[in-house]
Amino acid sequence: MPKADTSSPLLGPSLDEATPDAMSEVAIHRNAPHPHRTCLYGLVGEVACAGSDGTETNPFAIAANFITYLSCAIGRGVYLPIGNTWHHNRIFCLHIGRSGRGRKGDAVQLVLRIDQALRELDYRFAPQIHRGGLSSREGLVALMHDGYRQGKHEIPAVDDKRLWVVESEFANVLHQGRRDGNTLSAALRDCWDGVDLKPATKSNRLYASHPHICLSGAISPSELTALISARELTNGFANRFLMIWAERTRILPFPKETPLATVERLARKTLEVLAFVRADRHEERDHLRMELSPQAQWRYAQLYRSELNEDVGDATVGALLERRAPMLLRLAMLLALTDLQTRIDVPHIDAAMAWIRHATASVRYVFVSAADEAKLAQVLEMSNRVQAFLRERGQATRSQISSECFRGKVPKAVIDASLEHLLAATPSMINVRWVDRPADTPGTPTRVYRPV
């Protein structure tokens, strides 16, 4: 990023000129996250624009719900091998917005209308939809079970394992996860991975193989931060969701209805995608292999070595963003399929990355205060300066870093925070070794920092 013009009185002193008091006066104002229009790619963008035209609904919220719906409808027939892992189009999305302003319920309505029109065209391509709220692993399994015996009766299996779950009150899922013995969050983790859902107890023989569940959730930021537990933040449950901030874009007392002809046109385009992947053949799995073009491989590798694995400097945010890379691949797969092709190209990678960037900004906005965000930005900036200083110098003690890199004008605690950030990075950016003082010199060993 270009450096700011430090001569401007509006920006305050530069880092080199900052005093401890000036360092504490961090900016506490920031804009709400806003995604780049690149997110609205192809058919996804058409649906988003149609639903937001003449309404208060945020087009990116509509797009996210349609992405989740379409990823479910595509099913398990399409796969992308990366190493020994086969990725399928399973996407969990969590729409975050303040109550009344997020228009979270409105953001799913057009998608439901498209689904209804799709069923009228050919019901075989439409997935199951569950909107009643989830309560337990057993309840989830019952929606796609492999058959079971009830008394003398044999209950036939649910052949179509595609299930789109719409949790308009995602707080319910978080409440269930806090109950002793409830394994719903663990079951949803398995669903994102595509793992068979087996009974949690020996007495319950209900199970579901090869589930293909996608989830659209909605919640207010206050509910999310109040209800999500430390365990869910770190055990891989929360980071399976593409969390996006989206609120209404305008105030309209009388929003327009999307014309039926538009809904039917979008449904026909959706059907084209589903027919292309043979989504009506529910029993077929892994029959359509996808690949990245050489240019897309290069672009993904470039992002993987930088943004997708960068250390964001905050433990909570880092845990919530741990699955950026597989999310990008799943999004890119879906966007390529909307072009009726099995090859992922650079535009698909870039559009998927736009969603990842918005999710990253949304997570930081919700889980890190403005003041902490500004302080974190300072630590990251100074970490970069320390790293550049050590690369040029070869090695240095902390006192040398303070006096030579920062001219003695940066507090010791801030320097320590930047050093800790560099040491804790994966892989580490610097290392530290202890050098004993001469035998006739008292004191503890000197810490010397070196670049990796």
Side-chain angles (χ1 to χ4, degrees):
M1 294 178 60
K3 291 187 177 179
D5 178 7
T6 57
S7 64
S8 169
L10 296 176
L11 296 176
S14 69
L15 197 58
D16 288 334
E17 299 167 342
T19 64
D21 288 338
M23 292 290 290
S24 64
E25 292 294 327
V26 294
I28 58 172
H29 301 113
R30 57 182 175 175
N31 293 318
H34 185 74
H36 194 274
R37 191 168 179 81
T38 307
C39 293
L40 303 183
Y41 181 90
L43 178 58
V44 171
E46 289 186 49
V47 172
C49 293
S52 62
D53 183 28
T55 75
E56 295 183 324
T57 314
N58 190 303
F60 297 95
I62 298 172
N65 282 302
F66 182 68
I67 283 172
T68 309
Y69 169 81
L70 187 58
S71 70
C72 177
I74 287 171
R76 293 185 69 130
V78 185
Y79 71 100
L80 172 67
I82 301 292
N84 292 319
T85 300
W86 287 11
H87 291 275
H88 300 95
N89 276 283
R90 278 185 300 275
I91 296 174
F92 289 4
C93 178
L94 185 59
H95 174 187
I96 308 169
R98 288 169 292 182
S99 180
R101 301 184 190 183
R103 293 295 183 263
K104 298 184 286 292
D106 294 343
V108 78
Q109 292 306 315
L110 177 59
V111 183
L112 291 171
R113 290 185 65 193
I114 292 172
D115 171 79
Q116 183 59 42
L118 175 65
R119 291 177 190 279
E120 293 174 2
L121 290 170
D122 194 329
Y123 71 92
R124 298 172 302 164
F125 289 92
Q128 297 184 73
I129 299 178
H130 178 70
R131 302 184 65 191
L134 300 175
S135 59
S136 65
R137 171 191 289 266
E138 292 73 25
L140 187 61
V141 172
L143 297 171
M144 58 183 63
H145 61 82
D146 283 4
Y148 61 95
R149 188 178 184 84
Q150 189 174 52
K152 296 182 179 180
H153 302 285
E154 291 288 341
I155 307 300
V158 177
D159 294 328
D160 188 355
K161 304 294 185 177
R162 299 172 303 156
L163 176 66
W164 183 39
V165 176
V166 180
E167 272 287 0
S168 56
E169 296 295 338
F170 190 73
N172 166 66
V173 173
L174 298 180
H175 275 300
Q176 297 296 339
R178 295 163 75 97
R179 292 169 47 200
D180 289 341
N182 189 283
T183 57
L184 177 60
S185 65
L188 289 174
R189 294 201 306 270
D190 288 342
C191 289
W192 192 87
D193 296 337
V195 176
D196 293 353
L197 295 176
K198 297 183 179 180
T201 60
K202 292 183 178 180
S203 59
N204 186 351
R205 304 315 302 167
L206 201 64
Y207 64 96
S209 60
H210 310 295
H212 189 78
I213 297 177
C214 301
L215 192 153
S216 291
I219 196 169
S220 69
S222 57
E223 286 180 314
L224 179 59
T225 55
L227 293 175
I228 197 164
S229 66
R231 180 184 62 185
E232 289 165 334
L233 285 170
T234 57
N235 69 358
F237 172 73
N239 64 28
R240 283 171 166 82
F241 286 83
L242 183 75
M243 298 188 183
I244 64 157
W245 176 273
E247 294 193 331
R248 66 185 178 192
T249 55
R250 68 191 88 174
I251 298 177
L252 293 173
F254 300 105
K256 296 192 303 182
E257 178 183 8
T258 304
L260 178 60
T262 301
V263 175
E264 292 176 341
R265 175 177 60 82
L266 294 172
R268 287 193 295 272
K269 287 196 168 188
T270 302
L271 180 58
E272 287 180 14
V273 176
L274 299 179
F276 174 71
V277 301
R278 305 199 297 272
D280 58 325
R281 302 183 184 182
H282 308 142
E283 71 286 353
E284 293 185 8
R285 294 184 296 274
D286 303 325
H287 60 78
L288 192 60
R289 180 187 177 109
M290 298 194 72
E291 61 181 11
L292 282 81
S293 69
Q295 296 82 359
Q297 289 182 33
W298 182 89
R299 179 67 175 137
Y300 175 73
Q302 184 185 44
L303 293 168
Y304 190 83
R305 295 188 181 101
S306 55
E307 287 185 67
L308 291 175
N309 282 291
E310 70 178 350
D311 190 342
V312 295
D314 181 88
T316 298
V317 173
L320 288 170
L321 299 175
E322 193 65 33
R323 284 184 166 81
R324 284 173 289 182
M327 278 189 180
L328 182 144
L329 291 173
R330 294 185 182 196
L331 288 165
M333 288 174 65
L334 182 136
L335 296 173
L337 292 172
T338 62
D339 284 339
L340 306 182
Q341 63 183 61
T342 57
R343 185 185 65 182
I344 298 171
D345 289 322
V346 172
H348 307 130
I349 295 289
D350 288 342
M353 191 63 204
W355 281 106
I356 298 300
R357 286 176 180 141
H358 180 50
T360 300
S362 299
V363 167
R364 297 179 79 110
Y365 186 72
V366 172
F367 287 92
V368 181
S369 70
D372 287 341
E373 179 80 11
K375 291 176 183 177
L376 178 59
Q378 287 181 336
V379 170
L380 293 175
E381 180 186 351
M382 283 187 289
S383 296
N384 291 334
R385 292 181 60 173
V386 169
Q387 189 178 18
F389 172 75
L390 291 176
R391 283 176 177 169
E392 181 179 351
R393 202 180 191 282
Q395 65 178 37
T397 64
R398 187 175 60 188
S399 62
Q400 290 171 331
I401 293 172
S402 176
S403 61
E404 298 178 29
C405 184
F406 297 114
R407 304 180 189 176
K409 295 180 179 180
V410 174
K412 171 181 173 293
V414 179
I415 295 176
D416 283 343
S418 65
L419 291 170
E420 184 63 29
H421 171 74
L422 293 169
L423 288 165
T426 51
S428 297
M429 298 178 184
I430 65 171
N431 59 36
V432 59
R433 66 185 182 92
W434 284 258
V435 178
D436 292 332
R437 294 175 181 270
D440 57 347
T441 304
T444 59
T446 302
R447 281 174 292 183
V448 178
Y449 299 88
R450 292 178 172 178
V452 174

